[in-house]
Amino acid sequence: MYVKFYNSIISYIRTMKYFFILLCLFPSLLIAQFNNNAVEKAWRAFRDDSQLKHASAAFELVQRTDGKQLFGVNEDLLLSPASTQKVFTAAAALELLQPSFHFNTRVLLKGMVTAGRLKGDLIVKGGGDPTLGSSRYEKEDAGKFLSSITTALRQKGIHTIEGDLVLLSDNERIVPDGWIWQDLGNYYGAGASGFNWRENQYDMILSSGANPGSAVKLVRTEPELYLETIELAAKAGAVGSGDNAYIYFEPGKEKLTVRGTIPPGKTAFSISGALPDPSAQFLSELAGTMMANGIEVTGKNRWSADEEEARNSLLLLEKPSPPLEVIVYWFLNKSVNLYGEALLKEIAFVQKGRRDTETGAAQLKAFWAAKGISPLMLQMQDGSGLSPQNGVTAAALNKVLVYAAKQSWFGAFYKGLTVSNGLHLKSGTIGGVKCYTGFLEGKDGKEYCFSIMVNRYNGSTAALNKKIFAFLEACK
């Protein structure tokens, strides 16, 4: 009997020993596993909220490693993605163009130089660079680029240009179809072309009277705008009302109109607008810089799309952009719409030799179709997600994340995602639309991909955000 008892003790010890070894080798056995029931319960509570009573909502959670779905509701429903659409453009650009890709802007001399006089034109040839003159990058500063041109001219001994200042670029359809009028005059509604300047935006500094309803006045613009008339129809709003002012391009009129409200009692309240004509603005600034540096230009400022203008010209200088991986960081992290449109057009240019939105969108859909995302899951009007006519599915967003996570350029993509509530994500917001897509770490220590999309909700965005993040916390 004692022998049997002894053998039982030995057997138990051996069993516990093996179990202890397994726990050491596989610590994940100690961690709670994914709880589908908890997620389903949290989703029902979220979906039953009064803010979503008449809304459309979708959610999908998948494994990062293989894309296997763990939970999904309406994941194949086409919904407006807002800026979460940027993940399609960013990932495709990193693969098709490569992280080290640079846009290039060239400054050319056309004609003979005799006794310090260029008997011909100075040509600035755009290469689609959306960062040229941007204040985000020290080396791209507008003043430095303008000064580099005058410095290069002086180094060649040129003090007079007996010709024109020419901006050479393709300016096809700067603004994509589907963008709304209220957006076009504001900084986030700046379209992209073959030449972009200062991210195609400017700041308008305004002042307001002390009382609600009082007049709003223009203090200045930064930079100074050329050839533009500004009409102020905005008023002072209630105390604490914030920025509710919008800039409009008036159809058929050469002017900008500011409508809406800014807070009362402001002496220097800044709002940002989209440059109506970046090429004209640049040429005016360049002419002013040349004049200030003693370089005379006898001709006029003009834009051209004729590549023959550059035939037999001499390269004065070349300005490369920051590498694509840096551009993608700002594109995702700060959601710069201009960058999305420039990248989409560059994909079109590299793939098909033409820099236009429609070709870029077609190439983007073809790229993702080859990766297993049906074109029926993507309705793309642009590269940034600003158009309310865009439509994608939550499942398609997750497929992008799963694919990206396996690529050599994933570090550049992941770095651009914002970190909020412990999640690495890309957000999307336009009127009545709030979406998120990204990566979350579960209680089991694994990383998952998620996409949540809400269209046509009611109430405040801030209130909805709190409910979305509470739901996502339950998914961990």
Side-chain angles (χ1 to χ4, degrees), residues 35-36 98 108 126 135 222 242 284 287 310 321 324 356-357 433 445 450 454 463:
N35 190 336
N36 192 286
Q98 292 299 299
L108 311 169
S135 60
E222 297 176 352
S284 296
S321 73
L324 179 63
D356 68 83
T357 300
V433 173
F450 73 90
V454 182

Short mmCIF file of all heavy atoms in Angstrom, two decimals, residues 35-36 98 108 126 135 222 242 284 287 310 321 324 356-357 433 445 450 454 463:
data_model
loop_
_atom_site.label_atom_id
_atom_site.label_comp_id
_atom_site.label_asym_id
_atom_site.label_seq_id
_atom_site.Cartn_x
_atom_site.Cartn_y
_atom_site.Cartn_z
N ASN A 35 -11.52 36.86 -25.62
CA ASN A 35 -12.87 36.58 -25.13
C ASN A 35 -13.89 37.12 -26.13
O ASN A 35 -14.23 38.30 -26.12
CB ASN A 35 -13.07 37.21 -23.76
CG ASN A 35 -14.37 36.76 -23.10
OD1 ASN A 35 -15.32 36.36 -23.78
ND2 ASN A 35 -14.40 36.81 -21.78
N ASN A 36 -14.37 36.27 -27.02
CA ASN A 36 -15.32 36.67 -28.05
C ASN A 36 -16.63 37.15 -27.44
O ASN A 36 -17.23 38.11 -27.92
CB ASN A 36 -15.56 35.51 -29.01
CG ASN A 36 -16.31 35.93 -30.26
OD1 ASN A 36 -17.51 36.18 -30.20
ND2 ASN A 36 -15.59 36.03 -31.37
N GLN A 98 8.82 53.06 -53.08
CA GLN A 98 9.90 52.71 -52.16
C GLN A 98 10.17 53.85 -51.16
O GLN A 98 10.05 55.03 -51.48
CB GLN A 98 11.18 52.35 -52.89
CG GLN A 98 11.09 51.04 -53.67
CD GLN A 98 10.80 49.84 -52.76
OE1 GLN A 98 11.58 49.52 -51.88
NE2 GLN A 98 9.66 49.18 -53.00
N LEU A 108 15.75 75.70 -64.23
CA LEU A 108 16.45 75.63 -65.51
C LEU A 108 16.67 77.02 -66.10
O LEU A 108 15.87 77.94 -65.87
CB LEU A 108 15.64 74.80 -66.50
CG LEU A 108 15.14 73.42 -66.01
CD1 LEU A 108 14.14 72.84 -67.00
CD2 LEU A 108 16.31 72.47 -65.81
N GLY A 126 8.15 71.79 -62.03
CA GLY A 126 7.59 71.04 -60.91
C GLY A 126 7.69 69.54 -61.12
O GLY A 126 7.58 69.05 -62.23
N SER A 135 6.73 74.37 -44.03
CA SER A 135 7.35 74.73 -42.76
C SER A 135 7.56 73.52 -41.86
O SER A 135 8.14 73.65 -40.77
CB SER A 135 6.47 75.76 -42.03
OG SER A 135 5.19 75.22 -41.77
N GLU A 222 -0.30 85.36 -44.06
CA GLU A 222 1.06 84.84 -44.01
C GLU A 222 1.14 83.58 -44.87
O GLU A 222 0.53 82.57 -44.52
CB GLU A 222 1.47 84.52 -42.57
CG GLU A 222 1.50 85.73 -41.65
CD GLU A 222 1.81 85.37 -40.21
OE1 GLU A 222 1.86 84.15 -39.87
OE2 GLU A 222 1.99 86.29 -39.40
N GLY A 242 -14.86 78.99 -30.36
CA GLY A 242 -13.80 78.41 -31.17
C GLY A 242 -13.84 78.85 -32.62
O GLY A 242 -14.51 79.81 -33.00
N SER A 284 5.15 85.00 -57.92
CA SER A 284 5.14 86.35 -57.36
C SER A 284 6.17 86.47 -56.24
O SER A 284 6.88 87.48 -56.14
CB SER A 284 3.75 86.69 -56.82
OG SER A 284 2.80 86.72 -57.87
N ALA A 287 9.69 86.49 -57.87
CA ALA A 287 9.99 87.79 -58.48
C ALA A 287 10.36 88.81 -57.41
O ALA A 287 11.30 89.60 -57.58
CB ALA A 287 8.78 88.28 -59.28
N ALA A 310 11.24 73.38 -71.94
CA ALA A 310 12.49 73.01 -71.26
C ALA A 310 13.55 72.44 -72.20
O ALA A 310 14.66 72.15 -71.76
CB ALA A 310 12.18 71.99 -70.16
N SER A 321 12.96 66.36 -52.55
CA SER A 321 12.11 66.38 -51.36
C SER A 321 12.73 65.50 -50.27
O SER A 321 13.69 64.76 -50.53
CB SER A 321 10.73 65.83 -51.71
OG SER A 321 10.78 64.41 -51.89
N LEU A 324 10.43 59.49 -49.09
CA LEU A 324 9.02 59.13 -48.97
C LEU A 324 8.65 58.67 -47.57
O LEU A 324 7.56 58.98 -47.07
CB LEU A 324 8.68 58.03 -49.98
CG LEU A 324 7.24 57.52 -49.96
CD1 LEU A 324 6.26 58.63 -50.31
CD2 LEU A 324 7.08 56.34 -50.90
N ASP A 356 -2.68 62.25 -62.79
CA ASP A 356 -4.07 62.65 -62.53
C ASP A 356 -4.73 61.70 -61.54
O ASP A 356 -4.31 60.56 -61.36
CB ASP A 356 -4.88 62.74 -63.82
CG ASP A 356 -5.10 61.41 -64.47
OD1 ASP A 356 -6.03 60.70 -64.06
OD2 ASP A 356 -4.33 61.05 -65.38
N THR A 357 -5.76 62.20 -60.88
CA THR A 357 -6.41 61.47 -59.80
C THR A 357 -7.07 60.19 -60.28
O THR A 357 -6.96 59.14 -59.64
CB THR A 357 -7.46 62.36 -59.12
OG1 THR A 357 -6.81 63.53 -58.59
CG2 THR A 357 -8.17 61.63 -57.99
N VAL A 433 -19.04 61.37 -39.87
CA VAL A 433 -18.24 60.15 -40.05
C VAL A 433 -17.13 60.12 -39.02
O VAL A 433 -16.39 61.10 -38.87
CB VAL A 433 -17.64 60.06 -41.47
CG1 VAL A 433 -16.68 58.88 -41.57
CG2 VAL A 433 -18.74 59.97 -42.51
N GLY A 445 -1.29 39.31 -24.86
CA GLY A 445 0.02 39.72 -25.34
C GLY A 445 0.18 39.75 -26.84
O GLY A 445 1.22 40.17 -27.35
N PHE A 450 -7.66 46.01 -36.16
CA PHE A 450 -9.08 46.34 -36.01
C PHE A 450 -9.46 47.48 -36.94
O PHE A 450 -8.62 48.30 -37.32
CB PHE A 450 -9.41 46.72 -34.57
CG PHE A 450 -8.90 48.09 -34.19
CD1 PHE A 450 -9.69 49.22 -34.38
CD2 PHE A 450 -7.63 48.25 -33.67
CE1 PHE A 450 -9.22 50.48 -34.05
CE2 PHE A 450 -7.14 49.51 -33.34
CZ PHE A 450 -7.95 50.62 -33.53
N VAL A 454 -18.15 54.38 -38.28
CA VAL A 454 -19.48 54.86 -37.93
C VAL A 454 -19.84 56.00 -38.87
O VAL A 454 -19.09 56.98 -38.98
CB VAL A 454 -19.55 55.35 -36.47
CG1 VAL A 454 -20.97 55.80 -36.13
CG2 VAL A 454 -19.10 54.25 -35.50
N ALA A 463 -18.18 62.98 -27.69
CA ALA A 463 -18.92 61.98 -26.93
C ALA A 463 -18.82 60.61 -27.58
O ALA A 463 -18.64 59.59 -26.91
CB ALA A 463 -20.38 62.40 -26.79
#
